[in-house]
Amino acid sequence: MEYNFNEIEKKWQSYWKENATYKVTEDTSKPKYYVLDMFPYPSGAGLHVGHPLGYIASDIYSRYKRLKGFNVLHPMGYDAYGLPAEQYAIQTGQHPAITTEQNINRYREQLDKIGFCYDWSREVRTCDPDYYKWTQWAFIQMFQSYYCLPPAPSSRGGESPLEGGGGAARPISELIAHFEQHGTENLNAAQTEELHFTAEEWKAKNEKEQQEILMNYRIAYLADTMVNWCPALGTVLANDEVINGVSERGGHPVEQKVMRQWCLRVSAYAQRLLDGLETIDWTESLKETQRNWIGRSEGAEMKFDIVGAEYFPPSQTTRAENIPPLRQIEIFTTRADTIFGVTFMVLAPESEYVAQLTTAEQQAEVQAYLDATKKRTERERQIDKKVTGVFSGSYAINPLNGAEIPIWISDYVLAGYGTGAIMAVPAHDSRDYAFAKHFNLPIIPLIEGCDVSEESFDAKEGIMINSGFLNGLSVKEAIQKAKEYIAENNLGKVKVNYRLRDAIFSRQRYWGEPFPIYYKDRMPYTVALEDLPIELPEVDKFLPTETGEPPLGRAKDWVYEEKK
């Protein structure tokens, strides 16, 4: 008998809808099971083959668990905010809310035709104020929190508000109380920059100065970060939205640019994330991928003096006009034992050190290099093995042997890891080796019997040579002794670093939930919880303003009245 799908499927789909067959209610007599699909972005093109490819598999599993006696929650929703809807609105003159609604209706019609067992009473739309009220609520909680690290032994009398817990988010009010009693002494909080002040100094600061300090600790915070900026689209793009230096949508040029952005301090949770991997039922290969992504490394943060910095005041320096030279730069290394093999240093093009260390003679050449690297994303720089770089004109001093080391700039170093500056040991690092060979820089082997005539020797074992007081030690022994020497002689400090970066939230465009923030004296404050949700205002068009502000800058009378 032929399967009359038009008649049969229409009949049963109508029955499921009329009888709310897949509506889920609480039922304590059954075990719970939750199956969640990735929400689609509702574009005008409708579903593509990739959507049902995944949805069919989860739908089969939902039905299987339901037949096995589970109370299955299987919802669907729409990731309804984003750049495509806004670009379509700009092109057609329609409000993105209208086109998004039309696209959602088309998606729902197509999903229903496939016959999925979704509980549509649980539908989520990220552009719905009833939904993003709670994302705004979550943002406020993060803004009003800091990350409390595990407590350190107290070195003074009196209990600190931060004692008795750690490894979790805590109210920012506790941090303020600590500052009022102890300043930064015995502070156990994740921070962007290590600050030092007394309780008296904190109390002497005005409100704006105190708010600026608190921004250094908040879980949701403002910072100047490197982003993928597309001038034509007037927005920041994620790495996967940039292909070969142009935007995936429209093919417009994209450049690396420092911009003020909202960030989430997820890096503070790096160790908790690593520890948590041991408690979940994942495959070992997937756990190892996560470990590599988090990228824990133990090493030393070291200080290198700059040649001539102590002799030349800013008015007499040969460096770029009005930019004083540095006296020291800091680098992070996991291999402090290799410091005797350092033959040059490398700065990331985005590093703030670049402007301070570029000499006047090298200014034009360095600027040309910086302009070229702006067109490449960090991902492209990590994958591409082509050697490029430019000499800054400055030299650092090796703190262990006094040797002068040329400071170069190259895009194989990234600004987000460590300090954005590295000490290069070409004999024992493949990328440093390629750079040294390309620019004819010295290569000093540090391991007995290693051959570096054709490639670097990257093994982490052997007996040390050419290494001063480390000679004759094994690599493992030398690593520990070098770290102890650095700490004892105030050349730096032993430190744990992570590759995991803080998340960036860009809101250069109109079609997205507003941050629940208002500004006073150019500092951000959260709106009252009872005023949520903060909804999008009407604007005359969805383009940046003539002065370069985001489209929300076009809003008329969109102000917040501060609660007293």
Side-chain angles (χ1 to χ4, degrees):
M1 179 178 175
E2 184 179 355
Y3 174 55
N4 188 339
F5 60 88
N6 279 323
E7 181 179 323
I8 295 173
E9 294 191 10
K10 184 177 180 180
K11 170 189 172 181
W12 285 107
Q13 286 171 14
S14 297
Y15 177 88
W16 295 338
K17 184 176 181 180
E18 292 167 5
N19 291 273
T21 301
Y22 299 118
K23 182 177 174 62
V24 182
T25 56
E26 287 72 16
D27 186 347
T28 57
S29 67
K30 295 181 179 181
K32 296 183 290 186
Y33 206 84
Y34 184 35
V35 181
L36 179 65
D37 288 311
M38 184 174 70
F39 293 167
Y41 180 83
S43 69
L47 290 175
H48 59 73
V49 68
H51 289 124
L53 181 66
Y55 297 163
I56 288 170
S58 58
D59 195 75
I60 292 171
Y61 198 68
S62 298
R63 294 175 186 273
Y64 166 76
K65 296 299 286 188
R66 192 175 289 111
L67 291 171
K68 295 289 285 184
F70 286 82
N71 192 28
V72 179
L73 175 59
H74 188 203
M76 177 46 76
Y78 304 97
D79 185 8
Y81 271 139
L83 180 61
E86 186 163 329
Q87 285 300 112
Y88 189 71
I90 292 171
Q91 294 165 7
T92 63
Q94 297 183 79
H95 196 287
I98 297 173
T99 56
T100 299
E101 176 72 24
Q102 293 171 345
N103 295 339
I104 285 176
N105 292 338
R106 176 174 171 81
Y107 269 52
R108 173 65 188 273
E109 180 184 2
Q110 292 176 310
L111 290 167
D112 283 344
K113 284 181 178 179
I114 299 174
F116 291 121
C117 61
Y118 294 127
D119 177 1
W120 286 107
S121 70
R122 311 271 185 158
E123 180 191 281
V124 169
R125 300 183 182 188
T126 59
C127 62
D128 186 340
D130 287 340
Y131 170 82
Y132 66 70
K133 167 184 178 178
W134 296 106
T135 65
Q136 292 176 340
W137 176 90
F139 182 87
I140 290 174
Q141 307 312 307
M142 291 184 283
F143 182 85
Q144 298 292 2
S145 300
Y146 74 100
Y147 188 82
C148 183
L149 299 168
S154 179
S155 61
R156 60 178 290 174
E159 288 193 7
S160 162
L162 305 192
E163 292 176 356
R170 302 292 302 166
I172 204 79
S173 57
E174 291 184 4
L175 191 64
I176 295 172
H178 180 91
F179 290 158
E180 290 175 345
Q181 295 179 35
H182 307 294
T184 54
E185 188 175 355
N186 298 327
L187 183 64
N188 299 309
Q191 54 195 298
T192 304
E193 177 186 358
E194 190 170 346
L195 303 178
H196 298 281
F197 52 84
T198 65
E200 291 69 28
E201 288 171 332
W202 166 262
K203 293 173 185 175
K205 296 181 183 297
N206 60 37
E207 182 180 349
K208 182 178 182 180
E209 291 170 334
Q210 290 182 346
Q211 289 299 317
E212 288 172 341
I213 289 174
L214 292 174
M215 192 64 71
N216 191 60
Y217 302 95
R218 296 185 188 276
I219 289 179
Y221 65 98
L222 276 172
D224 294 324
T225 62
M226 186 63 61
V227 295
N228 301 316
W229 172 249
C230 180
L233 295 177
T235 192
V236 171
L237 300 177
N239 282 337
D240 55 10
E241 296 175 307
V242 183
I243 301 174
N244 297 324
V246 299
S247 62
E248 181 183 35
R249 179 167 294 273
H252 303 293
V254 176
E255 63 183 49
Q256 298 286 291
K257 184 177 182 180
V258 175
M259 296 184 69
R260 194 76 164 164
Q261 301 288 299
W262 281 104
C263 304
L264 293 184
R265 204 178 298 279
V266 295
S267 59
Y269 290 80
Q271 191 59 51
R272 269 186 62 181
L273 291 170
L274 279 173
D275 295 341
L277 286 173
E278 307 307 317
T279 67
I280 55 179
D281 184 19
W282 283 4
T283 63
E284 188 56 35
S285 62
L286 186 55
K287 288 183 180 182
E288 189 61 24
T289 299
Q290 291 296 306
R291 292 188 191 105
N292 292 336
W293 177 259
I294 296 167
R296 187 183 194 275
S297 54
E298 297 183 17
E301 197 166 75
M302 300 179 59
K303 302 172 184 177
F304 283 70
D305 289 336
I306 303 303
V307 173
E310 64 273 31
Y311 305 115
F312 302 107
S315 60
Q316 298 176 20
T317 181
T318 58
R319 289 169 177 79
E321 185 179 358
N322 298 326
I323 300 177
L326 289 175
R327 295 189 180 279
Q328 287 182 326
I329 61 174
E330 289 188 343
I331 61 95
F332 175 81
T333 177
T334 59
R335 296 292 304 277
D337 59 301
T338 63
I339 190 169
F340 288 96
V342 176
T343 58
F344 59 99
M345 301 185 77
V346 187
L347 308 177
E350 308 86 5
S351 170
E352 62 183 21
Y353 291 148
V354 170
Q356 296 167 296
L357 291 173
T358 299
T359 62
E361 293 83 357
Q362 290 295 109
Q363 189 68 29
E365 192 174 349
V366 168
Q367 190 58 53
Y369 185 74
L370 299 182
D371 291 340
T373 58
K374 284 181 181 178
K375 301 172 184 176
R376 287 156 54 89
T377 66
E378 286 193 358
R379 181 181 296 175
E380 291 170 335
R381 287 159 55 178
Q382 288 175 298
I383 295 172
D384 191 0
K385 302 302 181 184
K386 183 180 178 181
V387 178
T388 66
V390 61
F391 179 45
S392 71
S394 292
Y395 293 80
I397 301 172
N398 189 316
L400 266 64
N401 61 14
E404 293 189 3
I405 311 164
I407 302 173
W408 288 70
I409 302 158
S410 177
D411 65 1
Y412 81 88
V413 176
L414 303 177
Y417 183 71
T419 63
I422 68 162
M423 61 178 209
V425 186
H428 304 287
D429 181 275
S430 58
R431 298 200 74 171
D432 293 347
Y433 184 90
F435 193 90
K437 281 289 189 181
H438 185 83
F439 290 104
N440 196 29
L441 298 168
I443 300 173
I444 302 173
L446 302 175
I447 305 296
E448 191 175 275
C450 72
D451 180 8
V452 294
S453 58
E454 298 296 331
E455 61 182 357
S456 60
F457 183 80
D458 297 342
K460 297 180 180 179
E461 56 186 30
I463 302 301
M464 302 294 294
I465 60 171
N466 299 326
S467 299
F469 66 89
L470 299 176
N471 283 340
L473 298 178
S474 68
V475 170
K476 185 176 181 180
E477 292 169 334
I479 291 174
Q480 183 60 32
K481 187 167 184 178
K483 288 194 291 188
E484 291 172 356
Y485 183 91
I486 290 165
E488 290 169 0
N489 290 273
N490 198 32
L491 300 176
K493 59 184 178 182
V494 177
K495 186 179 180 182
V496 175
N497 211 355
Y498 299 92
R499 185 177 296 112
L500 183 68
R501 313 279 185 83
D502 287 345
I504 300 174
F505 284 81
S506 294
R507 281 291 180 272
Q508 272 70 43
R509 303 311 300 256
Y510 172 78
W511 193 232
E513 68 266 42
F515 284 104
I517 290 290
Y518 68 97
Y519 289 84
K520 184 174 66 174
D521 199 14
R522 302 183 68 83
M523 293 303 299
Y525 294 79
T526 55
V527 305
L529 292 177
E530 60 266 26
D531 292 332
L532 298 180
I534 301 298
E535 299 188 30
L536 281 173
E538 292 297 324
V539 294
D540 56 353
K541 50 185 174 180
F542 310 110
L543 292 168
T545 67
E546 289 71 17
T547 57
E549 295 179 63
L552 287 177
R554 297 180 176 277
K556 308 296 184 185
D557 301 322
W558 195 47
V559 295
Y560 181 75
E561 185 174 341
E562 185 179 9
K563 298 291 189 293
K564 301 298 183 183

